[in-house]
Amino acid sequence: MLAAYIEQLGTPDSIRYGELPPPVARAGEVLVDVSVASVNHVDTFVRSGAWRTPLTFPFVIGRDLAGTVAVSAPGTGFEAGDRVWCNSMGHAGRQGAAAERVAVPADRLYRLPDGVDPEDAVALAHPAATAYLALHPHGRVRAGETVVVLGGGGNVGSALIVLAVHAGARVVATASARDTERCRGLGAAEVIDYRDPDMVGRLKAACPDGVDVFVDTSAANDLETAVDLLARRGRIVVLAGMATRPVLPAGPLYLQDGSVVGFAISQATAAELAAAADTIGTLLASGKLRPPATVLMPLSAAADAHGRLERGEVRGKILLRVAEVKSAGEDLTDHTVVR
């Protein structure tokens, strides 16, 4: 089978494209024929060794996939032809998603709702699950609370707005001027330009009773500002900014009964990811959850995709087209098709 893989940790140039032996399903696994995979920042961390996780070389890269079940998988609840998706391959000893066929643990595989585009599902698999985990097991959001999302125009930020509104929260977001209307359309009650010199003052005015859940997707992790905005028993959720070392104002934090909790989606349990998948599937089927933008590239361009992501050259989500099927008018030989 064709796959994008590495034989050692390194730069994007270490990614190879070629034939590897197809996987053999073990007990509890399902063989999936992949149609599309995605490229995430965490994929670059694994490939480079910035984030260490057990892996075996040659190592197929990538976390997220959408495709169809290749063969009936007795005892798993899946049948040949089922449309499925997954967002937790490519780490913790599991081979990745960027291949024509992948053996996926059944408890990490989810059915794709009828009518949902697999490209939309795989583009949202990582950011929407991250948003769900931030809001629910870690942020403990409740209906009627106020959620602040810094970076509402991004992949995770957009999903946070939709999922927080779905949970019954009032959302105040920051975003660039070009993303303001989109954030409002997703359900944000107020959107503040992050370039506004008085952004913090405007956040305080928009949240007169304080912030119950504060999530910064921009990775700045300004905990001094975040703590100052908290309501009593407010929660700050840290989910990005691996190299940041912010100052924590411990006194004001504990006087508010506040908390700071960090999490990485890579540490999520299968049960937590399955709960996230249920909500994501519902919102995908309703059309409320859609990716900001996607850039399609062929699987053979995986090294280029990693390079572009690391250089910050792509706005939205990079997808790798694995199957040979192309939509009318698409030419993937030049690497990019914007949707």
Side-chain angles (χ1 to χ4, degrees):
M1 68 170 185
L2 291 170
Y5 63 94
I6 57 173
E7 296 177 311
Q8 61 183 11
L9 301 176
T11 66
D13 290 341
S14 65
I15 297 175
R16 302 286 179 257
Y17 171 70
E19 292 281 349
L20 288 179
V24 176
R26 296 176 295 185
E29 291 183 336
V30 180
L31 290 176
V32 176
D33 286 334
V34 179
S35 60
V36 62
S38 73
V39 180
N40 302 297
H41 284 287
V42 71
D43 300 337
T44 71
F45 301 156
V46 172
R47 184 217 71 233
S48 68
W51 182 69
R52 294 287 180 160
T53 184
L55 50 83
T56 302
F57 297 114
F59 174 72
V60 177
I61 62 173
R63 298 236 173 163
D64 312 333
L65 63 85
T68 58
V69 174
V71 294
S72 178
T76 66
F78 292 96
E79 299 292 334
D82 286 349
R83 299 196 319 146
V84 292
W85 64 281
C86 173
N87 63 350
S88 55
M89 300 304 293
H91 67 103
R94 294 182 292 277
Q95 286 286 333
E100 290 184 310
R101 180 167 286 188
V102 176
V104 181
D107 61 352
R108 295 176 179 272
L109 192 63
Y110 321 115
R111 284 181 173 77
L112 194 63
D114 292 341
V116 172
D117 188 325
E119 291 171 3
D120 286 348
V122 80
L124 285 159
H126 192 80
T130 299
Y132 178 92
L133 294 168
L135 290 169
H136 291 283
H138 300 290
R140 307 186 308 280
V141 68
R142 294 185 293 271
E145 291 191 321
T146 295
V147 175
V148 162
V149 177
L150 300 193
N155 294 320
V156 175
S158 298
L160 275 163
I161 294 172
V162 174
L163 269 73
V165 171
H166 180 69
R170 173 177 176 267
V171 179
V172 177
T174 69
S176 65
R178 66 181 174 182
D179 289 322
T180 296
E181 290 307 313
R182 182 173 185 275
C183 289
R184 288 199 180 103
L186 295 174
E190 296 196 43
V191 184
I192 298 167
D193 189 334
Y194 74 87
R195 295 186 180 91
D196 190 322
D198 191 33
M199 183 192 78
V200 175
R202 292 191 62 191
L203 281 171
K204 287 182 177 179
C207 308
D209 296 321
V211 177
D212 298 295
V213 182
F214 182 99
V215 189
D216 179 4
T217 71
S218 73
N221 292 330
D222 179 358
L223 296 183
E224 292 182 284
T225 294
V227 169
D228 191 45
L229 290 168
L230 286 186
R232 179 174 175 271
R233 296 191 175 175
R235 289 84 70 196
I236 300 167
V237 182
V238 178
L239 52 75
M242 192 162 54
T244 60
R245 297 291 187 273
V247 173
L248 174 65
L253 179 70
Y254 84 75
L255 288 174
Q256 283 288 73
D257 275 4
S259 62
V260 180
V261 59
F263 84 95
I265 190 173
S266 301
Q267 310 293 358
T269 66
E272 288 171 337
L273 291 173
D278 285 343
T279 298
I280 293 167
T282 296
L283 293 173
L284 280 168
S286 70
K288 294 179 180 178
L289 192 59
R290 294 187 61 81
T294 56
V295 177
L296 287 174
M297 302 176 70
L299 181 61
S300 58
D304 186 20
H306 272 230
R308 292 192 189 191
L309 187 63
E310 289 185 335
R311 294 189 297 271
E313 295 176 355
V314 175
R315 175 175 166 79
K317 194 75 174 176
I318 301 177
L319 305 182
L320 298 175
R321 179 69 62 79
V322 179
E324 293 299 322
V325 179
K326 295 193 297 183
S327 299
E330 289 186 0
D331 180 3
L332 299 183
T333 58
D334 192 32
H335 292 183
T336 57
V337 178
V338 180
R339 297 175 68 242

